Structure formats: C-alpha cells, structure tokens
Amino acid sequence: IHFFTDKNSPLQVGIMTYAEGKEVQPHYHASRTTQGSGTQEVLIVKTGRMKARFYSAVHRTLIDEKDLGAGDILILLTGGHGFTIAPGSSVIEVKQGPYLEHGDKIQIDSKAPSSH
C-alpha cells in the first residue's frame, strides 16, 4: 500500500496494488477517537474535466489552479478551494462527517487578488 498522505494526517489516502490472486483477510478496525482540524476531502474525477482553484485560508487569495481529467485524484488537506466542473462530468467526493448544513463553509471572494 502506498499512502499519498502523511501517516499523521487525519485523512489517510492511499492506493493498494497487489499481485494477481492476493487476498486481504477479512477484518475490522478497532474503535478509536481521532482528532483533526478542519475538513479534509478527496475528489476523484470519474468522467469529464474540472478546474480546481486553491486559496490561502489566511489571506483568502488565489494560490494556484489545476486542470483535472478522468482518473485524477485531488487530496485537499488545508486551505480553501473552488471548482468549475465541465457539463456531464462526474466527481466522487469523500470527506469526514457528519455533514453540517449550516456553518460548515466559509465563503471566499473568488475575485480576490491572486498571489501567483
């Protein structure tokens, strides 16, 4: 297993690559309390394309942007972000729960000056 995230990250994301016929023994994970700050997310572009924009959470300014296509994986651990998703695209999102309908998102003015 190759993890993309640091072993201390509150969200662990990795890829399992096994030789043909490898079997993972049935198991469950012991109950434990984990703590983290903020909400981490993983986005997987299933089909189509999207543009991801990354913002400084402190200065609320644009830091960078990337074009993503089918098969790309985006791991968001800190900072702000925004997306433009092409019509007909499908993106899978994974993040910690529970989902809070109110008070979870802090909006960033997308017209703020860029820092790049």
Side-chain angles (χ1 to χ4, degrees):
I1 300 175
H2 170 75
F3 282 93
F4 302 111
T5 53
D6 182 86
K7 68 179 181 177
N8 296 313
S9 174
L11 185 66
Q12 298 290 301
V13 181
I15 186 166
M16 298 183 287
T17 307
Y18 296 110
E20 187 176 334
K22 169 68 177 172
E23 184 175 330
V24 176
Q25 294 299 313
H27 66 284
Y28 65 93
H29 297 271
S31 180
R32 61 188 166 135
T33 302
T34 58
Q35 295 181 348
S37 61
T39 299
Q40 292 75 38
E41 300 176 60
V42 175
L43 300 174
I44 304 162
V45 182
K46 188 173 176 186
T47 61
R49 301 203 59 76
M50 69 182 278
K51 179 183 287 281
R53 292 177 304 284
F54 308 100
Y55 295 86
S56 162
V58 175
H59 303 290
R60 298 185 180 196
T61 55
L62 181 66
I63 297 171
D64 200 3
E65 39 186 44
K66 297 286 182 192
D67 290 314
L68 303 169
D72 286 340
I73 299 173
L74 179 60
I75 303 170
L76 301 165
L77 299 175
T78 62
H81 51 272
F83 311 108
T84 302
I85 301 172
S89 297
S90 176
V91 179
I92 297 169
E93 178 178 3
V94 180
K95 64 182 176 183
Q96 299 108 311
Y99 174 72
L100 303 175
E101 271 192 64
H102 303 289
D104 183 56
K105 292 184 180 178
I106 300 168
Q107 298 298 321
I108 295 174
D109 179 4
S110 63
K111 301 194 181 15
S114 173
S115 63
H116 73 102

